[in-house]
Amino acid sequence: MASPFVEAQAERAPDVLARLPGAGLPWLDALRREQLEAFVREGLPGARNEAWKYTALRALERRAFLTGDAEAAARAVDISDFVLPGVDGPRLVFVHGVFRADLSSLDALPEGLRLHPLSQALVEDAEPLRFFLSRGGEQAADAFTRLNAALAGDGMVLRVAQGARIDAPVHLVQIGTPADEDLAWHARNIVELGEDASLTLIEHHVGTGPHKHLGTQVSDIVLHARAKLAWIGLQEAADGALLMRRDRVRLDANAHARVHALELGGSLVRRELDAELRGEGARLDTRGVFLPGGRQHLDTRLDIRHVAKHTASDALWRGVADQRGRGVFHGAITVAEGADGADAALSNKNLLLSPHAEIDTQPVLEIYADEVMAAHGATVGQLDERALFYLRSRGLPAVAARTLLTLAFCRAALDDLDNEALREHLGERLAERLPGGETAA
């Protein structure tokens, strides 16, 4: 029997589908119906699904969400809620997954950058997006990707022309605001960098007040030969929010992506990063921190696949759990047959600040090629008592000493950010979330 969540989506779907941008296009209508039917048929993943073993969805199954709310999406938002230091380039803002032109900044885009909301592209010229959108539900066990493929009507379309170097960072903002009822929103992003292009993308999830909305977001990112992407994510959704994201990255020959992530907010948050290094010499560097506290559940999954020769990946992630917070980290590296000369490294270190906190970490390494350099490891523990004693002996109070050590532990994942102003801001936000962090910030 279907859960209340699945039943609610199926019951309201006909009206939602009729109102989505692009409705009436035969191929898009068929795609959306197909993915919705698959979602309803299969339902949400249960405990027997290995990929969801540590992230239970029982509470979500019992809830019904309204899909979209034009009145709530149009609610007044203070721009100071999402402005970031060191980020002064083009900006796209979405409230409950709906584009807000009044909060965005798309005037005088630099040469070589095309940036607009998906809702506009679906109305004006949807055919160039057909390949990307058709990938929406290709993974049979991924319910939230299917739901997103069926119901997403907005998001970001970003393209950088061959050889274009975009200096000012692009700022993508997703905002959740209080509403009378719990809402579900779905966003789809498409990012494509041409050969020899470069771009910095700042992705920012913000909660401007208490709510328990559900958001799903799927991003397809393609880097053509020798393209360079710096991608920084700051997730500080409302404390009760639920957020499911899947990012799929493809790197062609000698392309390079650098990913930094700071996961702070939300009640139940899952972020999946699937990367395929399919061109010779491609490189992916990922750095991240997740801080579950209270009763938060933060789940991060990396799936990095080396397909071509002489590719490289380096993943460094830190987790800190406090109170009854729970963190999950799954880091999988696959070196496929023929990917000779690959160089892959993954490190995940975690701290528990409370006897009731929990972090489950799963490093996975599979190698099917020759002449490979690979290393992976994971640890879960407490702060070093000797280091605490040293700081206490120098006059630091206990709380301040613990906060200082924890902050240093986390900042290892942020220290190589090039944007100094943004790096310091992320460090401050990190410090504020730690126990006793008000004084450390």
Side-chain angles (χ1 to χ4, degrees):
M1 183 171 59
S3 68
F5 174 78
V6 173
E7 289 179 345
Q9 306 311 305
E11 179 182 346
R12 296 163 181 161
D15 180 59
V16 174
L17 291 174
R19 293 185 284 106
L20 286 176
L25 291 171
W27 65 267
L28 186 54
D29 287 345
L31 170 68
R32 286 169 168 168
R33 286 195 304 269
E34 176 186 343
Q35 296 307 324
L36 181 65
E37 290 169 1
F39 167 75
V40 173
R41 182 175 60 251
E42 300 294 335
L44 295 175
R48 294 184 179 181
N49 187 319
E50 184 65 26
W52 291 85
K53 179 179 179 181
Y54 297 105
T55 300
L57 298 173
R58 291 186 297 271
L60 174 62
E61 286 180 333
R62 295 192 292 267
R63 298 174 60 189
F65 296 83
L66 289 179
T67 303
D69 185 328
E71 182 178 343
R75 187 163 296 158
V77 174
D78 189 339
I79 196 171
S80 65
D81 289 329
F82 57 81
V83 169
L84 296 174
V87 181
D88 55 0
R91 181 175 65 235
L92 258 76
V93 180
F94 299 84
V95 178
H96 302 157
V98 177
F99 175 63
R100 286 283 295 268
D102 59 316
L103 300 173
S104 301
S105 177
L106 297 176
D107 297 330
L109 293 179
E111 185 176 354
L113 174 65
R114 296 176 59 194
L115 180 64
H116 46 268
L118 176 64
S119 53
Q120 175 185 331
L122 289 176
V123 172
E124 295 179 355
D125 186 13
E127 189 60 32
L129 306 177
R130 187 169 182 170
F131 169 76
F132 288 100
L133 297 180
S134 297
R135 299 182 65 217
E138 62 186 14
Q139 297 206 11
D142 191 347
F144 293 103
T145 302
R146 284 174 170 163
L147 186 62
N148 183 279
L151 300 181
D154 220 336
M156 176 182 70
V157 179
L158 185 159
R159 287 191 168 95
V160 182
Q162 178 178 340
R165 307 295 176 91
I166 310 301
D167 295 325
V170 173
H171 192 187
L172 167 65
V173 186
Q174 290 282 4
I175 299 176
T177 69
D180 294 335
E181 297 187 70
D182 294 345
L183 306 177
W185 58 265
H186 310 280
R188 188 72 184 274
N189 302 320
I190 296 170
V191 178
E192 187 173 14
L193 274 63
E195 295 182 359
D196 299 297
S198 64
L199 174 79
T200 296
L201 174 64
I202 315 295
E203 181 181 334
H204 193 184
H205 292 263
V206 187
T208 63
H211 65 77
K212 297 181 179 180
H213 306 328
L214 166 68
T216 74
Q217 178 178 283
V218 174
S219 299
D220 280 297
I221 300 174
V222 175
L223 276 62
H224 292 289
R226 300 173 300 282
K228 292 180 172 57
L229 172 67
W231 180 13
I232 300 101
L234 173 57
Q235 188 277 109
E236 44 187 359
D239 288 344
L242 295 85
L243 185 58
M244 306 291 173
R245 290 172 290 162
R246 166 161 284 195
D247 304 312
R248 301 182 291 209
V249 184
R250 191 194 82 188
L251 296 95
D252 290 344
N254 295 304
H256 185 192
R258 298 174 60 206
V259 181
H260 290 81
L262 187 54
E263 299 284 344
L264 301 178
S267 173
L268 171 60
V269 176
R270 181 174 169 110
R271 196 264 178 98
E272 301 182 40
L273 175 61
D274 298 338
E276 184 177 63
L277 285 67
R278 58 179 293 173
E280 184 171 347
R283 181 177 182 92
L284 171 70
D285 296 306
T286 72
R287 304 283 185 267
V289 183
F290 53 95
L291 271 76
R295 292 185 175 272
Q296 283 181 286
H297 186 110
L298 304 183
D299 183 347
T300 298
R301 294 181 65 88
L302 305 183
D303 185 358
I304 302 170
R305 296 178 299 282
H306 294 252
V307 178
K309 294 182 177 180
H310 306 298
T311 52
S313 66
D314 185 14
L316 186 154
W317 284 73
R318 297 286 188 262
V320 178
D322 190 29
Q323 300 169 314
R324 294 186 178 275
R326 185 174 186 183
V328 179
F329 181 85
H330 176 91
I333 297 176
T334 303
V335 182
E337 184 178 355
D340 300 340
D343 185 351
L346 183 147
S347 171
N348 172 228
K349 296 181 179 181
N350 305 282
L351 289 177
L352 302 178
L353 303 184
S354 160
H356 305 294
E358 182 179 350
I359 292 180
D360 299 290
T361 180
Q362 300 171 297
V364 178
L365 179 61
E366 299 182 16
I367 300 175
Y368 303 98
D370 298 323
E371 300 179 5
V372 171
M373 294 181 61
H376 73 304
T379 61
V380 180
Q382 288 79 37
L383 289 171
D384 188 333
E385 292 296 332
R386 291 172 298 179
L388 277 173
F389 176 79
Y390 176 82
L391 292 177
R392 293 295 310 280
S393 69
R394 295 301 185 270
L396 253 65
V399 173
R402 294 175 65 84
T403 300
L404 186 63
L405 287 176
T406 307
L407 186 58
F409 172 81
C410 293
R411 289 197 65 140
L414 301 176
D415 283 344
D416 63 343
L417 264 176
D418 295 331
N419 188 321
E420 182 178 356
L422 181 58
R423 182 176 67 244
E424 291 306 310
H425 177 75
L426 295 182
E428 291 170 2
R429 297 296 295 126
L430 180 61
E432 290 168 4
R433 297 285 295 199
L434 296 174
E438 296 79 4
T439 55

